[in-house]
Amino acid sequence: MLSCPYSLTLFGGVQGQVLGLARALRELGVDARIVAPCDGPPPEPGITTVGPSTRVPSNGSVAPIATGRAVARRTIEALRTFQPDVLHLHEPLSPGPNHAALVGTTIPAVGTFHSARSGRNGWYETFRPGLRPMMRRLAVSTAVSEDARRQVTQTFGGDCEILPNGVDVPSHAAGPVTPSSAPAILFVGRHERRKGLAVLLDAFGGLERDADLWVVGDGPNQDELRGRGVPRVEWLGRVTEEEKHARLRGATIACFPALDGESFGVVLLEAMAAGTAVVASDIDGYRTVSRADQEALLVPPGDADALRAALRALLDDPSRRSSLVAEGRLRADEFSMTHLAERFLPLYERAMAVPRAPVA
C-alpha cells in the first residue's frame, strides 16, 4: 500500500511519483494500491480516498493535505480491508494518512522523503520529539536526493538511502504533439516565487526572437504575473497530463527557472523523455538529473540576463538543441519508473522481514 499526504486530484511532483510508481509496480506483478486525499473522484483505479484536502503553506508553496479523526479512521479502515504486507509512505512525517498508518498500525513501513529546502527543516526541528517515534517505525528510509536526505539525517540521524525519482518514459516519448506556428518555450509549474516564473517573464520580455511562451499551471502569484502584460505569452492554466505531454513534445525548449526548494528535477526528466531541449536553473536539485551543457543548459538562479542568453543560444542553434535532446533521452532512460520500481522491491522485502502484528 502506497500512501500520499497530498491530494491526488491536484498537480504535484509527489503525487505524480506515487501514481507512477504504483503503475510500475503493478506491471511487475505487485498488487499496489494507494491511500490519499482526493478533491473529487480518484484520478485512477486502485485509490482509496481519505477525503478532501485543505491548502497549507509549506516550503514556499501550498500543500493540499487532509488531517483529522475522519482521515485517520478512513486510513485505518483501508488498511484493515487491504491488509498490505508493507506500507510505502511518501513524505512519511507529513500529517494525515501517513501519521495514522504509523501510529495506528504495526505494518512494516518504507518511507520516502521528497522535500528539500535551504537550511534545516523547521517542521522536523519543531516537532522532533513527536516525530521521532514515527521515524523509528520506518523499517527502511529513502530520499530522492542528497538534499532531501540531509533534511532528515541532520535532525533524526540514522541511515537514509537515496533512490531518485522516476519518470514514465514511454508515456512522454510518444503520443500527440501540440503544434506551434513559431518556436515555443514551455514552462510547467505553480505560479509562486520559488518556481522562478517572474524571472522567465523578465527574460522572455527582452528575448527579441520569434517565439511564444506557453505557461502551464496556476498559483498565488498568477494575477500579478499575468498583469505584467508580456506579449506572446499563452496562459494555459491547469491542464490534463495528456495535454502537458503533448505540449512538452511540441515545445522547442522547456524552461524551468526555479530559484530554490527543488529536491529533484522530475520536470526536467519529463522534458528529456519527451525529446525537448532543456534550459534550467543551476540548483542542487536539478543538477541531480542534468549535467551542465550535456543534458541541459544550466544558468544561475534568478539571473534573467543569463536565462535570456541561454534561450537565445538554443533558439539560434538547432544542432545544439538536437545534441541536448539526444543526451536527454539517454538520461531519462536511466531514471525510468520501471527501474525505480525494481529497486524498491528488495527494500519492501527487507521491511517485511521485520515481525509485525495484525492491523489494530
Side-chain angles (χ1 to χ4, degrees):
M1 176 76 81
L2 289 83
S3 177
C4 179
Y6 309 133
S7 173
L8 293 181
T9 51
L10 299 176
F11 173 82
V14 176
Q15 296 95 309
Q17 288 300 300
V18 172
L19 291 167
L21 180 57
R23 293 187 212 110
L25 288 168
R26 292 184 197 116
E27 291 175 358
L28 295 176
V30 177
D31 186 4
R33 307 187 196 185
I34 302 171
V35 60
C38 289
D39 295 274
E44 298 180 6
I47 298 171
T48 298
T49 177
V50 297
S53 67
T54 299
R55 311 302 192 269
V56 176
S58 174
N59 194 22
S61 184
V62 178
I65 64 174
T67 62
R69 292 182 179 179
V71 170
R73 184 181 66 252
R74 293 173 188 139
T75 301
I76 299 303
E77 288 174 353
L79 296 177
R80 282 178 176 152
T81 299
F82 185 42
Q83 296 185 347
D85 297 307
V86 64
L87 299 172
H88 187 172
L89 311 174
H90 291 256
E91 294 293 19
L93 301 185
S94 293
N98 288 343
H99 280 195
L102 290 174
V103 173
T105 82
T106 57
I107 303 171
V110 173
T112 292
F113 295 87
H114 293 262
S115 67
R117 65 194 77 188
S118 58
R120 301 181 76 89
N121 186 302
W123 166 261
Y124 295 168
E125 293 293 330
T126 301
F127 298 100
R128 175 166 45 182
L131 295 175
R132 277 195 182 280
M134 297 185 191
M135 282 296 300
R136 289 195 293 267
R137 275 279 287 113
L138 297 177
V140 178
S141 294
T142 74
V144 301
S145 67
E146 182 58 47
D147 280 351
R149 175 166 64 180
R150 175 179 50 79
Q151 293 284 313
V152 179
T153 58
Q154 69 183 357
T155 301
F156 302 104
D159 296 327
C160 191
E161 182 176 348
I162 293 180
L163 267 72
N165 283 321
V167 62
D168 185 351
V169 174
S171 71
H172 288 83
V177 176
T178 299
S180 176
S181 58
I185 300 167
L186 174 66
F187 169 90
V188 179
R190 279 183 57 78
H191 302 174
E192 57 195 17
R193 174 196 168 276
R194 72 186 183 97
K195 294 296 185 180
L197 178 54
V199 180
L200 175 55
L201 291 174
D202 288 342
F204 185 77
L207 190 61
E208 299 177 345
R209 294 294 186 275
D210 179 25
D212 297 319
L213 175 59
W214 294 341
V215 177
V216 170
D218 59 13
N221 298 341
Q222 176 174 284
D223 292 342
E224 183 272 326
L225 294 170
R226 295 188 68 163
R228 296 186 180 194
V230 178
R232 300 192 67 170
V233 179
E234 186 175 356
W235 299 89
L236 300 167
R238 294 184 189 178
V239 302
T240 64
E241 282 295 292
E242 291 76 15
E243 182 175 354
K244 185 185 77 171
H245 295 174
R247 292 275 178 176
L248 279 170
R249 288 187 285 265
T252 308
I253 298 170
C255 185
F256 307 109
L259 304 180
D260 53 42
E262 300 293 324
S263 64
F264 194 88
V266 171
V267 287
L268 277 69
L269 289 174
E270 291 178 340
M272 293 174 194
T276 306
V278 173
V279 175
S281 296
D282 189 7
I283 58 178
D284 290 341
Y286 288 171
R287 283 195 298 271
T288 301
V289 301
S290 60
R291 292 161 288 194
D293 299 325
Q294 188 166 341
E295 293 94 12
L297 296 188
L298 301 181
V299 301
D303 189 334
D305 292 334
L307 182 59
R308 184 183 303 116
L311 294 172
R312 282 176 178 166
L314 283 191
L315 289 172
D316 294 345
D317 191 345
S319 64
R320 185 75 183 101
R321 293 201 305 270
S322 296
S323 175
L324 290 177
V325 167
E327 293 293 334
R329 288 188 188 277
L330 295 175
R331 188 66 165 168
D333 285 338
E334 297 177 19
F335 290 88
S336 76
M337 193 64 78
T338 299
H339 291 166
L340 178 62
E342 291 170 342
R343 292 186 64 185
F344 267 115
L345 290 179
L347 300 187
Y348 297 156
E349 292 173 356
R350 187 198 309 173
M352 286 187 290
V354 178
R356 70 178 177 94
V359 176

